[in-house]
Amino acid sequence: EAEAEAEEKAYCDEQMTKTEAKKSELEDDVAKMTAKIDQSASKSAQLKEEVKVLQEELAALTKEQAEMDKIRLETHEDYVVAKKDLELGLSGVRKALSVLRDYYGGGESEAAFMQQPAPPVKHSKSGGAGSGIIGILEV
């Protein structure tokens, strides 16, 4: 009977050793998994913070874009108004250049075909002043 008890004790000791080893192995696995979970939770919190910051930046960019679009629209409206005025001014300057060129020497060939009386003797063209005025207008 002592031998049976010794065998049973040996069997129990062997099983306890296996169980302790398995328990130790499982505890190591649990520790590794817990560390992995903690790392993942930390990374998740970090990514959530980054998403929050990026969403704030996107909101700011959207607001700035809306302001820039508004400014662009206002500027375009001002341009359209100014463009009409500038085109009228340019057409006036072109007309003035045409008249001055005709008067100061560019119009003799056209005048030869028209029957006009001779210009008055009292008035004479000033060539130097005409070219100066035309030069200023062409700039």
Side-chain angles (χ1 to χ4, degrees):
E1 195 174 302
E3 190 176 305
E5 279 186 31
E7 274 184 35
E8 189 176 326
K9 173 135 174 62
Y11 176 77
C12 285
D13 288 343
E14 180 184 336
Q15 291 302 316
M16 284 299 282
T17 305
K18 286 181 182 179
T19 301
E20 288 294 326
K22 186 71 172 174
K23 181 181 173 188
S24 175
E25 183 181 312
L26 290 175
E27 285 175 349
D28 288 345
D29 288 347
V30 167
K32 288 178 187 176
M33 293 297 170
T34 303
K36 199 172 193 177
I37 289 171
D38 291 343
Q39 286 177 345
S40 295
S42 173
K43 182 140 179 128
S44 174
Q46 179 185 3
L47 290 173
K48 286 179 182 177
E49 184 63 31
E50 288 179 14
V51 166
K52 182 180 174 185
V53 168
L54 290 173
Q55 285 176 336
E56 290 171 357
E57 289 177 0
L58 275 174
L61 282 173
T62 302
K63 183 179 177 183
E64 288 178 17
Q65 183 66 40
E67 290 174 13
M68 290 170 68
D69 289 344
K70 180 182 173 188
I71 291 170
R72 170 71 175 107
L73 183 63
E74 291 171 357
T75 304
H76 179 68
E77 290 170 356
D78 293 342
Y79 166 75
V80 169
V81 171
K83 182 181 176 190
K84 290 178 185 175
D85 293 340
L86 292 172
E87 285 175 347
L88 284 173
L90 280 174
S91 68
V93 169
R94 287 183 185 120
K95 180 70 173 172
L97 278 171
S98 172
V99 168
L100 288 171
R101 283 189 184 123
D102 287 346
Y103 180 76
Y104 284 110
E108 285 97 11
S109 62
E110 292 176 15
F113 293 113
M114 296 176 27
Q115 293 181 356
Q116 293 185 1
V121 178
K122 296 178 189 177
H123 180 71
S124 65
K125 298 178 189 177
S126 175
S131 64
I133 293 171
I134 291 172
I136 290 172
L137 288 176
E138 285 179 338
V139 173

